[in-house]
PDB file of all heavy atoms in Angstrom:
ATOM      1  N   VAL A  50      11.060  28.088  25.690  1.00 97.00           N
ATOM      2  CA  VAL A  50      12.033  29.170  25.853  1.00 97.00           C
ATOM      3  C   VAL A  50      11.356  30.457  25.419  1.00 97.00           C
ATOM      4  O   VAL A  50      10.787  30.536  24.320  1.00 97.00           O
ATOM      5  CB  VAL A  50      13.310  28.928  25.031  1.00 97.00           C
ATOM      6  CG1 VAL A  50      14.213  30.164  25.059  1.00 97.00           C
ATOM      7  CG2 VAL A  50      14.066  27.723  25.574  1.00 97.00           C
ATOM      8  N   PRO A  60      17.742  41.601  26.899  1.00 92.00           N
ATOM      9  CA  PRO A  60      16.587  40.694  26.801  1.00 92.00           C
ATOM     10  C   PRO A  60      16.529  39.729  27.972  1.00 92.00           C
ATOM     11  O   PRO A  60      17.569  39.266  28.471  1.00 92.00           O
ATOM     12  CB  PRO A  60      16.835  39.962  25.479  1.00 92.00           C
ATOM     13  CG  PRO A  60      18.310  40.049  25.255  1.00 92.00           C
ATOM     14  CD  PRO A  60      18.726  41.371  25.825  1.00 92.00           C
ATOM     15  N   GLU A  69      16.408  19.234  27.633  1.00 87.00           N
ATOM     16  CA  GLU A  69      17.259  18.156  27.131  1.00 87.00           C
ATOM     17  C   GLU A  69      18.707  18.613  26.969  1.00 87.00           C
ATOM     18  O   GLU A  69      19.578  17.812  26.631  1.00 87.00           O
ATOM     19  CB  GLU A  69      16.732  17.652  25.781  1.00 87.00           C
ATOM     20  CG  GLU A  69      15.333  17.084  25.829  1.00 87.00           C
ATOM     21  CD  GLU A  69      14.250  18.101  25.484  1.00 87.00           C
ATOM     22  OE1 GLU A  69      14.517  19.316  25.604  1.00 87.00           O
ATOM     23  OE2 GLU A  69      13.152  17.681  25.109  1.00 87.00           O
ATOM     24  N   PRO A 122      -3.261  29.910 -17.415  1.00 96.00           N
ATOM     25  CA  PRO A 122      -2.633  31.227 -17.609  1.00 96.00           C
ATOM     26  C   PRO A 122      -2.733  32.116 -16.378  1.00 96.00           C
ATOM     27  O   PRO A 122      -1.920  33.027 -16.199  1.00 96.00           O
ATOM     28  CB  PRO A 122      -3.409  31.816 -18.791  1.00 96.00           C
ATOM     29  CG  PRO A 122      -4.691  31.037 -18.870  1.00 96.00           C
ATOM     30  CD  PRO A 122      -4.356  29.673 -18.372  1.00 96.00           C
ATOM     31  N   LEU A 139      -3.075  30.226  -5.146  1.00 95.00           N
ATOM     32  CA  LEU A 139      -2.521  28.872  -5.102  1.00 95.00           C
ATOM     33  C   LEU A 139      -3.035  28.133  -3.873  1.00 95.00           C
ATOM     34  O   LEU A 139      -3.278  28.742  -2.831  1.00 95.00           O
ATOM     35  CB  LEU A 139      -0.991  28.936  -5.059  1.00 95.00           C
ATOM     36  CG  LEU A 139      -0.293  29.369  -6.344  1.00 95.00           C
ATOM     37  CD1 LEU A 139       1.201  29.561  -6.102  1.00 95.00           C
ATOM     38  CD2 LEU A 139      -0.519  28.347  -7.466  1.00 95.00           C
ATOM     39  N   LYS A 169       2.779  22.973 -14.048  1.00 96.00           N
ATOM     40  CA  LYS A 169       2.216  22.621 -15.354  1.00 96.00           C
ATOM     41  C   LYS A 169       0.765  22.178 -15.254  1.00 96.00           C
ATOM     42  O   LYS A 169       0.033  22.216 -16.252  1.00 96.00           O
ATOM     43  CB  LYS A 169       3.038  21.497 -15.997  1.00 96.00           C
ATOM     44  CG  LYS A 169       4.447  21.895 -16.401  1.00 96.00           C
ATOM     45  CD  LYS A 169       5.177  20.691 -17.026  1.00 96.00           C
ATOM     46  CE  LYS A 169       6.603  21.038 -17.385  1.00 96.00           C
ATOM     47  NZ  LYS A 169       7.324  19.867 -17.959  1.00 96.00           N
ATOM     48  N   GLY A 189       7.000  28.658  -0.753  1.00 97.00           N
ATOM     49  CA  GLY A 189       8.118  27.845  -1.195  1.00 97.00           C
ATOM     50  C   GLY A 189       8.534  28.204  -2.610  1.00 97.00           C
ATOM     51  O   GLY A 189       9.733  28.300  -2.932  1.00 97.00           O
ATOM     52  N   GLN A 200      20.832  33.594  -8.415  1.00 97.00           N
ATOM     53  CA  GLN A 200      21.675  32.480  -8.861  1.00 97.00           C
ATOM     54  C   GLN A 200      22.494  31.894  -7.709  1.00 97.00           C
ATOM     55  O   GLN A 200      23.682  31.585  -7.852  1.00 97.00           O
ATOM     56  CB  GLN A 200      22.584  32.925 -10.021  1.00 97.00           C
ATOM     57  CG  GLN A 200      21.802  33.330 -11.246  1.00 97.00           C
ATOM     58  CD  GLN A 200      22.675  33.662 -12.438  1.00 97.00           C
ATOM     59  OE1 GLN A 200      23.847  33.986 -12.288  1.00 97.00           O
ATOM     60  NE2 GLN A 200      22.111  33.570 -13.628  1.00 97.00           N
ATOM     61  N   GLU A 213      24.419  37.061   8.261  1.00 98.00           N
ATOM     62  CA  GLU A 213      25.711  37.712   8.478  1.00 98.00           C
ATOM     63  C   GLU A 213      25.580  39.218   8.702  1.00 98.00           C
ATOM     64  O   GLU A 213      26.159  39.749   9.667  1.00 98.00           O
ATOM     65  CB  GLU A 213      26.650  37.394   7.326  1.00 98.00           C
ATOM     66  CG  GLU A 213      27.097  35.933   7.314  1.00 98.00           C
ATOM     67  CD  GLU A 213      28.039  35.616   6.163  1.00 98.00           C
ATOM     68  OE1 GLU A 213      28.254  36.498   5.290  1.00 98.00           O
ATOM     69  OE2 GLU A 213      28.559  34.482   6.124  1.00 98.00           O
ATOM     70  N   LEU A 302      -0.804  43.898  12.685  1.00 87.00           N
ATOM     71  CA  LEU A 302      -2.022  43.996  13.482  1.00 87.00           C
ATOM     72  C   LEU A 302      -2.046  45.303  14.251  1.00 87.00           C
ATOM     73  O   LEU A 302      -1.015  45.948  14.441  1.00 87.00           O
ATOM     74  CB  LEU A 302      -2.092  42.846  14.495  1.00 87.00           C
ATOM     75  CG  LEU A 302      -2.193  41.420  13.983  1.00 87.00           C
ATOM     76  CD1 LEU A 302      -2.146  40.461  15.151  1.00 87.00           C
ATOM     77  CD2 LEU A 302      -3.467  41.217  13.191  1.00 87.00           C
ATOM     78  N   VAL A 322       6.765  31.744  17.850  1.00 96.00           N
ATOM     79  CA  VAL A 322       6.163  33.016  17.471  1.00 96.00           C
ATOM     80  C   VAL A 322       7.180  34.129  17.693  1.00 96.00           C
ATOM     81  O   VAL A 322       7.982  34.086  18.633  1.00 96.00           O
ATOM     82  CB  VAL A 322       4.854  33.299  18.258  1.00 96.00           C
ATOM     83  CG1 VAL A 322       5.116  33.533  19.732  1.00 96.00           C
ATOM     84  CG2 VAL A 322       4.101  34.471  17.661  1.00 96.00           C
ATOM     85  N   GLU A 380      -7.220  37.335   7.046  1.00 71.00           N
ATOM     86  CA  GLU A 380      -5.870  36.997   6.628  1.00 71.00           C
ATOM     87  C   GLU A 380      -5.464  35.632   7.175  1.00 71.00           C
ATOM     88  O   GLU A 380      -5.511  35.377   8.370  1.00 71.00           O
ATOM     89  CB  GLU A 380      -4.883  38.055   7.143  1.00 71.00           C
ATOM     90  CG  GLU A 380      -4.946  39.390   6.414  1.00 71.00           C
ATOM     91  CD  GLU A 380      -4.377  39.321   5.010  1.00 71.00           C
ATOM     92  OE1 GLU A 380      -3.741  38.319   4.658  1.00 71.00           O
ATOM     93  OE2 GLU A 380      -4.571  40.285   4.264  1.00 71.00           O
ATOM     94  N   ARG A 413     -23.809  41.695  18.580  1.00 93.00           N
ATOM     95  CA  ARG A 413     -22.533  41.408  19.227  1.00 93.00           C
ATOM     96  C   ARG A 413     -22.677  40.148  20.092  1.00 93.00           C
ATOM     97  O   ARG A 413     -23.715  39.953  20.740  1.00 93.00           O
ATOM     98  CB  ARG A 413     -22.075  42.583  20.090  1.00 93.00           C
ATOM     99  CG  ARG A 413     -20.601  42.511  20.533  1.00 93.00           C
ATOM    100  CD  ARG A 413     -20.238  43.764  21.317  1.00 93.00           C
ATOM    101  NE  ARG A 413     -18.853  43.807  21.718  1.00 93.00           N
ATOM    102  CZ  ARG A 413     -17.902  44.478  21.087  1.00 93.00           C
ATOM    103  NH1 ARG A 413     -18.199  45.153  19.985  1.00 93.00           N
ATOM    104  NH2 ARG A 413     -16.659  44.484  21.533  1.00 93.00           N
ATOM    105  N   ARG A 504     -19.635  16.386   8.030  1.00 97.00           N
ATOM    106  CA  ARG A 504     -20.490  17.056   7.052  1.00 97.00           C
ATOM    107  C   ARG A 504     -21.716  16.212   6.695  1.00 97.00           C
ATOM    108  O   ARG A 504     -22.799  16.740   6.451  1.00 97.00           O
ATOM    109  CB  ARG A 504     -19.700  17.347   5.774  1.00 97.00           C
ATOM    110  CG  ARG A 504     -18.407  18.098   5.966  1.00 97.00           C
ATOM    111  CD  ARG A 504     -18.596  19.461   6.601  1.00 97.00           C
ATOM    112  NE  ARG A 504     -17.352  20.227   6.619  1.00 97.00           N
ATOM    113  CZ  ARG A 504     -17.157  21.325   7.327  1.00 97.00           C
ATOM    114  NH1 ARG A 504     -18.141  21.792   8.096  1.00 97.00           N
ATOM    115  NH2 ARG A 504     -16.013  21.963   7.300  1.00 97.00           N
ATOM    116  N   ARG A 505     -21.507  14.918   6.626  1.00 96.00           N
ATOM    117  CA  ARG A 505     -22.591  13.951   6.428  1.00 96.00           C
ATOM    118  C   ARG A 505     -22.342  12.806   7.397  1.00 96.00           C
ATOM    119  O   ARG A 505     -21.212  12.639   7.871  1.00 96.00           O
ATOM    120  CB  ARG A 505     -22.609  13.426   4.977  1.00 96.00           C
ATOM    121  CG  ARG A 505     -22.799  14.493   3.928  1.00 96.00           C
ATOM    122  CD  ARG A 505     -23.220  13.875   2.593  1.00 96.00           C
ATOM    123  NE  ARG A 505     -22.234  12.934   2.058  1.00 96.00           N
ATOM    124  CZ  ARG A 505     -21.252  13.268   1.228  1.00 96.00           C
ATOM    125  NH1 ARG A 505     -21.110  14.541   0.851  1.00 96.00           N
ATOM    126  NH2 ARG A 505     -20.402  12.363   0.767  1.00 96.00           N
ATOM    127  N   ASP A 507     -20.969   9.983   9.240  1.00 98.00           N
ATOM    128  CA  ASP A 507     -19.741   9.185   9.116  1.00 98.00           C
ATOM    129  C   ASP A 507     -18.715   9.775   8.150  1.00 98.00           C
ATOM    130  O   ASP A 507     -17.685   9.143   7.889  1.00 98.00           O
ATOM    131  CB  ASP A 507     -20.043   7.736   8.701  1.00 98.00           C
ATOM    132  CG  ASP A 507     -20.785   6.973   9.781  1.00 98.00           C
ATOM    133  OD1 ASP A 507     -20.808   7.459  10.943  1.00 98.00           O
ATOM    134  OD2 ASP A 507     -21.349   5.920   9.475  1.00 98.00           O
ATOM    135  N   THR A 529     -15.195  -0.096  11.646  1.00 97.00           N
ATOM    136  CA  THR A 529     -14.114  -1.057  11.400  1.00 97.00           C
ATOM    137  C   THR A 529     -12.937  -0.467  10.616  1.00 97.00           C
ATOM    138  O   THR A 529     -11.852  -1.058  10.610  1.00 97.00           O
ATOM    139  CB  THR A 529     -14.642  -2.264  10.615  1.00 97.00           C
ATOM    140  OG1 THR A 529     -15.225  -1.804   9.373  1.00 97.00           O
ATOM    141  CG2 THR A 529     -15.699  -3.005  11.422  1.00 97.00           C
ATOM    142  N   GLN A 539      -7.963   7.349  -2.803  1.00 92.00           N
ATOM    143  CA  GLN A 539      -8.529   6.811  -1.575  1.00 92.00           C
ATOM    144  C   GLN A 539      -7.504   5.893  -0.911  1.00 92.00           C
ATOM    145  O   GLN A 539      -6.871   5.069  -1.580  1.00 92.00           O
ATOM    146  CB  GLN A 539      -9.806   6.015  -1.870  1.00 92.00           C
ATOM    147  CG  GLN A 539     -10.920   6.860  -2.471  1.00 92.00           C
ATOM    148  CD  GLN A 539     -12.185   6.062  -2.713  1.00 92.00           C
ATOM    149  OE1 GLN A 539     -12.393   5.005  -2.135  1.00 92.00           O
ATOM    150  NE2 GLN A 539     -13.045   6.577  -3.588  1.00 92.00           N
TER     151      GLN A 539
END
Side-chain angles (χ1 to χ4, degrees):
V50 172
E69 299 94 338
L139 288 173
K169 292 180 182 179
Q200 297 185 338
E213 290 180 353
L302 296 176
V322 67
E380 287 288 349
R413 194 177 183 99
R504 307 300 187 193
R505 300 197 300 269
D507 293 345
T529 58
Q539 297 182 20

